[in-house]
Amino acid sequence: METTEQPSQPSISAEWSLDPTTHSFSSDTSPTLALSLTNHANRTITIYNEYLIPSKVLAEGHFVIFDHTTNKAVDQLKTRFCDFPPPSKIHVPLREHMFHTLYPGRPVSFTAIFGRSSKSPPRPRLEEQQRQARGVDGLEIGHEYSLRPGEGWGYIRWWAYGEKDEVINPPSGKLDGREIAYKRTKTPHPGIRVNVEALPEIRF
């Protein structure tokens, strides 16, 4: 009797960078944080990216910013996003922008402003103004820092084999937005844990 060999769980690695790493508060903009994902499987997959978005991870305070001058982690401004489903009568559109195709061996990058806002220049923390930091915004002039990956992120809950268009438009009909976003146990495959904890610290 013949058996069909099941493909193994895809392995996805992560790399990150901060540009520039020599930030000055005389600059009008904050540095750019980039996170790259690489699919090491031999098949193309499409992920629903909700936990590997640098701007969201930064806003939720999962990254660690360590102050080497004071030898302490920086107190960061943290935002908690509402993740409760709306009433059943309300239509939930499919968030197509959150689907990303990962081709074998081809990195895909996600970027974010490493600061509070892209609309205003970052400001240092003043002694008389105890401000929580977000990225470089709120840090102290003259201190040396490092960015560390922290905990509580790096999981791909929903993914499927194939390119984005074929994944979100299967023969059975377009994916359901509410089901994808809120039915967390209903997924095509077990989730993928990306080893973000192994990311090297970035000095800046």
Side-chain angles (χ1 to χ4, degrees):
M1 177 171 146
E2 293 185 358
T3 59
T4 302
E5 183 179 351
Q6 295 297 319
S8 60
Q9 185 86 336
S11 171
I12 297 177
S13 64
E15 295 182 347
W16 65 351
S17 64
L18 191 64
D19 183 38
T21 55
T22 53
H23 172 70
S24 169
F25 283 105
S26 63
S27 174
D28 291 333
T29 60
S30 300
T32 298
L33 176 64
L35 177 72
S36 297
L37 302 179
T38 301
N39 170 21
H40 296 282
N42 58 6
R43 295 177 63 183
T44 297
I45 66 172
T46 293
I47 65 171
Y48 182 73
N49 188 12
E50 54 193 331
Y51 301 123
L52 285 156
I53 305 171
S55 58
K56 183 179 180 183
V57 180
L58 176 63
E60 292 180 337
H62 292 304
F63 296 138
V64 174
I65 300 174
F66 191 81
D67 187 336
H68 291 273
T69 304
T70 63
N71 205 34
K72 294 180 180 179
V74 174
D75 184 24
Q76 298 183 65
L77 176 65
K78 298 179 181 179
T79 302
R80 290 290 175 258
F81 296 92
C82 178
D83 204 22
F84 296 104
S88 58
K89 292 183 179 180
I90 296 179
H91 172 68
V92 178
L94 186 66
R95 300 167 183 170
E96 295 189 22
H97 66 283
M98 295 180 68
F99 289 85
H100 301 273
T101 298
L102 303 183
Y103 297 96
R106 190 186 304 177
V108 173
S109 293
F110 305 90
T111 60
I113 295 296
F114 192 60
R116 193 178 302 259
S117 172
S118 60
K119 298 180 181 179
S120 59
R123 296 178 295 165
R125 185 179 75 84
L126 304 176
E127 290 298 330
E128 68 276 10
Q129 183 183 14
Q130 298 296 324
R131 303 174 67 234
Q132 292 176 311
R134 174 160 292 173
V136 295
D137 202 327
L139 301 184
E140 297 195 55
I141 295 175
H143 285 212
E144 183 179 356
Y145 296 92
S146 65
L147 176 64
R148 301 175 180 179
E151 300 177 343
W153 66 287
Y155 186 65
I156 298 172
R157 176 182 62 87
W158 195 104
W159 65 275
Y161 289 107
E163 296 183 343
K164 177 177 177 176
D165 287 345
E166 62 182 307
V167 165
I168 65 177
N169 295 288
S172 57
K174 191 167 186 175
L175 296 179
D176 181 83
R178 177 182 292 272
E179 182 176 296
I180 298 298
Y182 300 111
K183 292 189 177 180
R184 307 207 175 275
T185 59
K186 191 172 183 180
T187 59
H189 309 279
I192 301 171
R193 176 67 62 181
V194 181
N195 187 21
V196 296
E197 292 83 0
L199 289 169
E201 72 172 25
I202 301 174
R203 291 266 186 157
F204 65 96

